[in-house]
Each structure stands twice: as C-alpha cells, then as structure tokens.
Amino acid sequence: MSRSRAAYYPVYLSLAGRLVVVVGGGEIAERKVAGLLPSGARVRVVAPELTPELARLVERGEIEHRAGDYRPGDLEGAFLALAEPGGAERDEAFSTEAEARGIFANVEDVVECCSFIAPSIVRRGDLVIAISTSGRAPALAVRLRQRLEQELGPEYGALLELAGRLRGPLAREVPEFEERRRRWYELVDSEVLVLFRDGRTAEASALAEQMLGVAAEGSEAMSGAAESSRECGPGRVTLIGAGPGDPDLITVLGLKRLRTADVVLHDRLAAPELLAEAREDAEIVDVGKRPGDDVQARQRRIEKLMIERALTGAHVVRLKGGDPAVFGRGGEEIEACAAAGVACEVVPGVSSFTAAAAAASIPLTHRGVSLGFAVVSARNAEGGEPDWAALDGADTVVVLMASRRLERIGQGLIAGGRESSTPVAIVERASTPEEKIVSATLESLAVGELSGDIKPPCVVIVGEIAAASRRTCPRSRRGRRRTQSAARS
Ligand code: SAH
C-alpha cells in the first residue's frame, strides 16, 4: 500500500457515543481501551480472554465484550477499529474488513494493516499534544514526549481550565476581537502559569481575572484587591544566574522565570540567545559597565532601577553572569530588595569557576590531590587583594577577576608559601566559542611571562590538580578551542 509513503493528516477525533471495536484482550488492548474511555466512545472488546482490568471494566458495564476470536462481521457498526497483532492472516482479514466498511483501522506495530497510527500524547487537562514520527522512529517520539512532559507541568491544565471559564465572560464584555486577542496574549505570557505551578491558585486566578478584566464563570465576583493589585501592589525581583556564557548553561528554573519577566536588567555579556527568551513586550535594559563608569555609582543605579520597577508591580529579573551570589554584588541587590520591602528570589547559576574547571577537565576536588578549594577575587571592592598566605589550607585556589593581576597572583601565592613550580591553568571565556586554556606555573605568572597574553574574563586555577588540565572531548558546536602551554619546562 502506498499509504506509508504519503504524509499523515493529524486529527483529534470526537468519539463520544461512537462504537470502537478493540480486537484482543491483552495488555496492548488494555492500554488502548484506557486511552479510549475518556473520549466517551462505546468500546467493544472482541477476545476469548481478558486481562483482569478489562474484565473489571466489563463487569462494571464500562465496556462491552464479545467473547471469542475475531471473525469477519465484528466490525459492523464500528466507527474505528483497533487490534493487537494476531498473526498475518488475522491482521489481513481485520484490515480488509475495515477497508471494505470504510472504517479506519490500526493493528499495533503492523504498519501495512493500519489506515491510521496513534501518536504519543502529552496531556495537561485540556492541553493535548500529539507527537508522531510518522512511524519512522517511535523511540524519538517517546523522548520528545518525555521532554515536553518535563517542560509542561500540570499548571498548563490549570490555566486552560480557568481560560475555559474566562472565555465566555470576556467575549460578552469585550466585543472587539483585536482587544480580546491582546488580553489573551498578555495572559498567556504573564506569570499566571508560574503562580499555578507554585500552587498559588487563588493568586493565579485573581491575576488572570484582573488581566482580562472579567470574572471567571463559577468563581466569586472579581475581588477589589485583585483589581487593584497590579497597579500598586509590590512586584518582585528574581536574581538569576545566567551561567558563564553558553546560553544552555542557565538553569531550567532560571529560564522559566526569565520567560515571565516584565523587566529584564542584564549585564553587558548576557548571551543574546537568553535575552531572546524574554517576552516580546518585556522591557530589556542593559545595565552593563560603560567606559569610565564608577563601579559604586553604577551598582546604586542598578538597584534603584530594579526597585523602582518592582514597586510598580512588575516582575523584575536581574540576569547576572555565572552565579548571582559569587562576586557579582548579588548580596547588595538582595539587601536593596529587603530594604525596599520587595520580595526577592535567588535562582542559582553555573559559576565561571565551575565552568572553567569543567572546560579544562580539572576536578576541583580529587581524592589524594585536592581535598578542598578556595575561590577568591584577585581584587576586592576596596582595591585590596586577598591574604594569600591565609589560603594555604586549601589545596586548590581559584582566582576570579584575574586577567590584569596575574603577576600579583603568582607573587602573592609564592610569598604565601606555595611552590613556584605549582601548576596553574588559566581559562579564558569558559563555555564560549572563544574559550582558551593556558597551562602555566606560579613562577611563570610571577615573572609576568603571560601578562598581555590573557584577556578577560578569565579564571586562574592553582594547585597540583591543575596539572590534570586537558581538553578531553572538544565540543565542536562551540567552535574551535585553543590550548597552549606557557609552562617552563
Ligand atoms: N558571578 C560570576 C562572577 C562575577 S565576577 C560567576 O559566578 O562566575 C567576574 C569574573 O568572573 C571575571 O573577572 C572572571 O574572573 C569570571 N568570569 C566570568 N565569566 C567567565 C568566563 N566565561 N570564563 C572565565 N571567567 C569568567
């Protein structure tokens, strides 16, 4: 049959009250029946024997049963016919009868006897997503289903249930299609989904009603509080770790929050791919460093903007490089929120120090070589540097904000008691296409051998474990990587 070559035409069938014949009484049939029952179909199973579950359904009158093997005539009056595989002869007879009667038929796993195939399904209440590979690679359909199931939680079902009760009132209240459409988009792009996901059902409903400007059918009249909360209620701030550069290294939660933000304040290096995840109508502000910027003044400016926007009721996302709580002044932003009475959530991120170690395949702890590590900044806010000698207790020292202070790092750690031959790995722009890994020693840092070669941002990893620095498995999609050695041999 040429059917398998032509493309499938996907539909959702309305089966309520229609007869569906299922041939076979085993587990496959049981699964098919379970899928059919919610549709309201009249299901008749044709089989000599039934699984206990099917027998129970027959007993409770939920399905019909004709005891016996399939024989031509069984499909009379059926709208749809499904079968467990029953051998070439039976399958052929079954599909021939279906074809003759104009009934769509499916024999599990026997493509030549199928006039329809069943997709993989993701269901969230009224949201039904059907996935098919047109029979080419069902395993891929299963993987896609699993991905969608992870991505789409039960909150989608809750949102649709509510949407169903808002649709009528909105249509009565707002006759203009364009305006209704605008409000619907505002609703689906809003944080209503996040509220449902967090179990804050009442708030979700209130926000949705307030956005659409109507009360949902079957709910109390829209509360005054709900009506006004968006205008003057406090918004909130989410500090999100954007990761070290590769947009894939943001967390799933970070991405979810970013997608619902009203305002996004980001640093200069934020990946454009991440900003593209924000809502189309979100306000996106680059608060990155500009030449001649005073660091303190800039930080206060960011905090002021963040709080101002949040106080208008907006959900402000502050997208920060790496992890927001590692040398990113995240602490000051948390304090600013607390002082202004604005709720603040912190979503952790992959810090550049873990990304750098991963890029160079350096385990930051390793039995017998590195029992612990310290992460420091080469320079603190007051312009001072770490107490290098005090870092002696850590087998491995990781230094951020290092590119212009390589000599001082080498000199300081040697003076602090480390061997000048201690291996060093420097990772520039970890996780980006420009990533570069340089091997060195404390000595070569101290004498300035590398100064000028290393560009920011970079992370310096010092300790025996850095000798393990290697590129084990280049990830080609991230582009060419360069590894060079500056160690004195
Ligand atoms: N919160 C960030 C650090 C901010 S301080 C984090 O958790 O990573 C800025 C410093 O981070 C830079 O000076 C540099 O040392 C480091 N850094 C940030 N991104 C980097 C990257 N992709 N590769 C190497 N170092 C990076």
Side-chain angles (χ1 to χ4, degrees):
M1 260 180 261
S2 62
R3 253 185 226 131
S4 58
R5 284 163 196 268
Y8 287 98
Y9 177 69
V11 289
Y12 291 83
L13 294 177
S14 171
L15 291 177
R18 302 189 202 267
L19 177 65
V20 178
V21 171
V22 177
V23 173
E27 271 172 23
I28 294 175
E30 186 180 309
R31 200 163 20 87
K32 289 184 186 294
V33 170
L36 285 164
L37 284 178
S39 71
R42 234 179 86 207
V43 177
R44 180 184 302 151
V45 175
V46 175
E49 277 168 42
L50 301 178
T51 64
E53 170 62 12
L54 286 172
R56 198 180 58 82
L57 290 171
V58 173
E59 223 166 83
R60 294 186 5 191
E62 293 187 36
I63 60 174
E64 303 166 17
H65 180 208
R66 191 188 73 66
D69 286 317
Y70 163 79
R71 53 172 192 243
D74 274 337
L75 303 187
E76 189 180 346
F79 181 81
L80 206 63
L82 292 75
E84 292 185 333
E89 212 173 299
R90 207 275 344 248
D91 295 348
E92 179 67 32
F94 169 86
S95 80
T96 306
E97 181 186 357
E99 197 70 26
R101 292 184 186 272
I103 299 169
F104 279 97
N106 174 289
V107 182
E108 175 96 353
D109 263 346
V110 187
V111 171
E112 51 299 353
C113 293
C114 291
S115 53
F116 76 92
I117 55 172
S120 254
I121 297 282
V122 180
R123 248 182 228 280
R124 295 290 180 261
D126 287 339
L127 174 67
V128 184
I129 300 176
I131 305 158
S132 169
T133 59
S134 300
R136 302 279 189 235
L140 178 63
V142 171
R143 286 286 179 265
L144 287 171
R145 171 171 63 77
Q146 290 166 338
R147 267 168 60 180
L148 287 170
E149 275 173 346
Q150 273 185 0
E151 172 83 5
L152 309 171
E155 65 270 21
Y156 283 83
L159 176 66
L160 284 186
E161 190 276 331
L162 178 63
R165 293 189 290 117
L166 286 164
R167 183 158 293 279
L170 184 66
R172 285 190 290 277
E173 184 76 21
V174 182
E176 307 81 30
F177 170 74
E178 280 302 324
E179 175 58 18
R180 284 205 305 274
R181 189 167 70 167
R182 194 191 63 72
R183 293 193 197 181
W184 278 117
Y185 271 107
E186 193 184 352
L187 174 65
V188 298
D189 290 334
S190 74
E191 60 184 301
V192 168
L193 268 172
V194 179
L195 290 171
F196 270 126
R197 202 211 55 195
D198 294 348
R200 295 155 69 183
T201 313
E203 283 166 80
S205 305
L207 180 58
E209 290 184 331
Q210 176 210 324
M211 277 181 158
L212 293 195
V214 292
E217 279 160 356
S219 77
E220 309 273 300
M222 210 186 357
S223 69
E227 229 166 325
S228 60
S229 68
R230 193 153 164 255
E231 262 50 70
C232 58
R236 60 197 180 105
V237 168
T238 312
L239 300 188
I240 299 179
D246 181 340
D248 282 358
L249 286 177
I250 191 170
T251 65
V252 175
L253 181 61
L255 191 57
K256 282 186 179 164
R257 295 285 192 268
L258 175 60
R259 284 174 175 162
T260 61
D262 298 310
V263 180
V264 179
L265 309 182
H266 68 91
D267 295 329
R268 195 168 43 90
L269 288 174
E273 291 93 333
L274 284 183
L275 298 178
E277 293 285 348
R279 272 168 28 204
E280 227 167 277
D281 63 334
E283 181 190 5
I284 301 196
V285 187
D286 177 353
V287 294
K289 222 185 273 171
R290 280 166 235 138
D293 232 357
D294 173 80
V295 183
Q296 295 294 350
R298 171 177 160 257
Q299 184 60 29
R300 298 291 92 78
R301 208 167 57 226
I302 294 171
E303 288 160 17
K304 183 160 169 278
L305 183 62
M306 185 174 83
I307 300 296
E308 262 173 25
R309 290 294 191 276
L311 288 176
T312 66
H315 174 205
V316 180
V317 155
R318 174 75 178 99
L319 194 60
K320 299 175 73 70
D323 181 279
V326 175
F327 298 123
R329 292 175 175 264
E332 291 165 46
E333 291 169 19
I334 295 170
E335 281 169 10
C337 289
V342 169
C344 176
E345 178 192 21
V346 182
V347 179
V350 174
S351 178
S352 57
F353 75 84
T354 48
S361 299
I362 296 175
L364 288 174
T365 64
H366 194 58
R367 205 158 52 89
V369 187
S370 176
L371 301 185
F373 60 89
V375 180
V376 297
S377 166
R379 204 184 65 152
N380 61 31
E382 288 73 43
E385 57 176 22
D387 179 351
W388 301 109
L391 297 172
D392 216 30
D395 291 323
T396 302
V397 174
V398 184
V399 191
L400 272 63
M401 292 183 257
S403 60
R404 270 183 269 137
R405 301 178 189 88
L406 297 173
E407 285 179 50
R408 277 305 306 148
I409 295 167
Q411 292 160 4
L413 284 170
I414 292 172
R418 259 168 230 262
E419 294 288 339
S420 54
S421 60
T422 306
V424 171
I426 304 171
V427 184
E428 261 182 29
R429 290 190 154 269
S431 86
T432 73
E434 294 82 36
E435 180 180 292
K436 182 173 132 188
I437 302 162
V438 177
S439 301
T441 61
L442 277 185
E443 172 76 16
S444 59
L445 289 193
V447 301
E449 205 168 281
L450 293 169
S451 308
D453 282 358
I454 304 294
K455 287 190 283 306
C458 79
V459 167
V460 174
I461 303 175
V462 181
E464 286 310 320
I465 199 67
S469 160
R470 62 181 172 253
R471 157 106 274 132
T472 45
C473 136
R475 286 169 293 179
S476 55
R477 108 185 146 77
R478 298 201 173 99
R480 194 166 61 97
R481 304 198 177 218
R482 291 166 293 167
T483 305
Q484 73 185 48
S485 176
R488 292 181 166 178
S489 48

